[in-house]
Amino acid sequence: MPYLKNRIFGNIVFLWLAAALLFPSGGLCLAREEGYRIGARDVLALTIYAGGEEQQSVQLTVSPQGTINVPFIGPVKAAGLTVSQLREQIVAPLAQDYFVDPEVNLYIKEYQSLQYYITGAVTTPGLYTTDSRQTLLTLIAKAGGVMNDRGNVAYIMRDSTGKLREGETPEELISKNKSQKADLDRLLDKGDMGQNVPLHSGDVVYIPLKRDLDVAQSSIYMEGEINRPGIYPYQQGLTALNACLMAGGFKTYAAPSRTRIIREVGNRKEVIRIDLNAVKAGKIADIPLKPGDLINVPESWF
């Protein structure tokens, strides 16, 4: 298996199996459904109770139009709802027209619409469609493991697969979205399952090569109401206002007075607020930037 770091890949398989032993299928089922939005072709198991007796027990497949045909009620929109939201949509008409204090047991039996994208320093990057919720570890395993020259961090961008298809790069997604990071050294080499981030359908996982990570860590990130948001190379002596000007200046409805610099200090994020209008007027000093800083210029309230 070219490019694979055998020890790391062995750790992946070991940890994956350990997770399966630690969390039996029933527990995983509940964890999977928390926050999950039902999609087309998902299979739902529905049981209706009333008067202490089972009234109906059926399996329902979500149609391409996103509906299910619920006993007694008829078509109900399911796509886009969580399990708890859909349960409420079913209980209300049952209680109104059919039963006194009905109870509805509802869970997802088969997932058919889960999609994850992984790119960067893995053996087989690409889009993965699965019938079960993934974690960072299981998705890396599906992608064949990490490469020898991978960096020590994985970036997770929520709900970003569509943006990747539209042509945005992982680096642009990192700069425009609030990405979550996982420490791969701690996860793969030390078995720290706290770094095994649960993934949501639509997530993009990006694992930079070590050389690309070095470049990223010598960059700054511009986002918000500026004309050219994105990633820019860090330069010695660069300040917050100069960085905004380098990125094309402020948009019409920008609020430079509420600019934030988000900086990682150890394992925490420090937020530095600065009034760039006051900087322009010479009333306060500008703030020198550091590699990895993210500058956010919000929209005006008016």
Side-chain angles (χ1 to χ4, degrees):
M1 298 177 73
Y3 306 111
L4 283 182
K5 191 171 183 179
N6 291 331
R7 181 170 62 85
I8 291 179
F9 187 65
N11 283 345
I12 291 174
V13 175
F14 172 79
L15 291 172
W16 190 6
L17 293 174
L21 292 172
L22 287 171
F23 302 101
S25 58
L28 278 176
C29 182
L30 292 175
R32 286 174 188 163
E33 293 179 8
E34 185 178 353
Y36 173 69
R37 300 283 174 176
I38 296 166
R41 300 186 295 115
D42 285 345
V43 179
L44 311 179
L46 170 70
T47 304
I48 300 171
Y49 298 92
E53 297 182 358
E54 179 183 303
Q55 303 297 324
Q56 284 281 350
S57 183
V58 293
Q59 291 186 20
L60 304 170
T61 300
V62 182
S63 72
Q65 293 73 38
T67 61
I68 55 174
N69 194 27
V70 178
F72 305 107
I73 300 173
V76 174
K77 184 72 172 179
L81 300 179
T82 64
V83 169
S84 60
Q85 289 171 337
L86 179 57
R87 186 182 293 110
E88 292 175 3
Q89 295 292 324
I90 295 171
V91 168
L94 287 176
Q96 180 176 334
D97 298 323
Y98 297 96
F99 301 106
V100 176
D101 296 328
E103 296 182 8
V104 171
N105 184 12
L106 179 68
Y107 67 91
I108 300 172
K109 186 170 184 179
E110 296 178 19
Y111 292 83
Q112 300 294 339
S113 57
L114 297 169
Q115 290 190 328
Y116 309 88
Y117 200 98
I118 184 167
T119 186
V122 291
T123 303
T124 312
L127 182 68
Y128 288 83
T129 300
T130 73
D131 60 1
S132 62
R133 292 285 291 273
Q134 300 295 301
T135 66
L136 176 59
L137 194 59
T138 58
L139 187 61
I140 289 174
K142 284 182 180 294
V146 292
M147 299 170 67
N148 276 334
D149 54 350
R150 54 99 177 157
N152 66 349
V153 64
Y155 294 93
I156 299 100
M157 285 79 75
R158 300 295 187 199
D159 301 320
S160 296
T161 52
K163 296 174 183 176
L164 206 64
R165 290 195 198 99
E166 292 168 2
E168 294 195 48
T169 66
E171 291 83 1
E172 288 172 332
L173 290 175
I174 292 170
S175 69
K176 294 179 181 179
N177 295 292
K178 293 181 178 178
S179 61
Q180 185 173 353
K181 290 183 187 178
D183 187 320
L184 292 180
D185 286 345
R186 289 169 57 187
L187 175 62
L188 301 180
D189 294 336
K190 299 179 181 178
D192 181 358
M193 296 301 289
Q195 299 297 313
N196 189 25
V197 179
L199 301 179
H200 301 169
S201 183
D203 283 357
V204 170
V205 174
Y206 174 48
I207 301 175
L209 293 166
K210 186 174 292 185
R211 64 176 183 269
D212 294 335
L213 184 62
D214 290 340
V215 171
Q217 289 179 339
S218 64
S219 303
I220 60 167
Y221 304 85
M222 309 293 299
E223 69 175 18
E225 296 301 301
I226 50 178
N227 287 310
R228 294 194 302 272
I231 300 176
Y232 292 85
Y234 171 77
Q235 302 171 23
Q236 188 69 32
L238 188 64
T239 64
L241 180 59
N242 288 338
C244 292
L245 296 177
M246 180 175 66
F250 305 107
K251 291 183 178 179
T252 303
Y253 297 105
S257 61
R258 294 188 287 113
T259 298
R260 300 185 306 157
I261 302 168
I262 296 128
R263 176 175 296 165
E264 291 200 6
V265 180
N267 292 325
R268 64 182 181 86
K269 289 186 177 180
E270 178 183 357
V271 179
I272 305 167
R273 303 180 186 278
I274 181 170
D275 182 346
L276 291 183
N277 285 334
V279 173
K280 285 193 293 183
K283 296 179 180 179
I284 63 172
D286 205 350
I287 294 179
L289 299 179
K290 293 184 178 181
D293 280 354
L294 184 149
I295 295 88
N296 173 272
V297 180
E299 186 177 4
S300 173
W301 289 327
F302 303 100

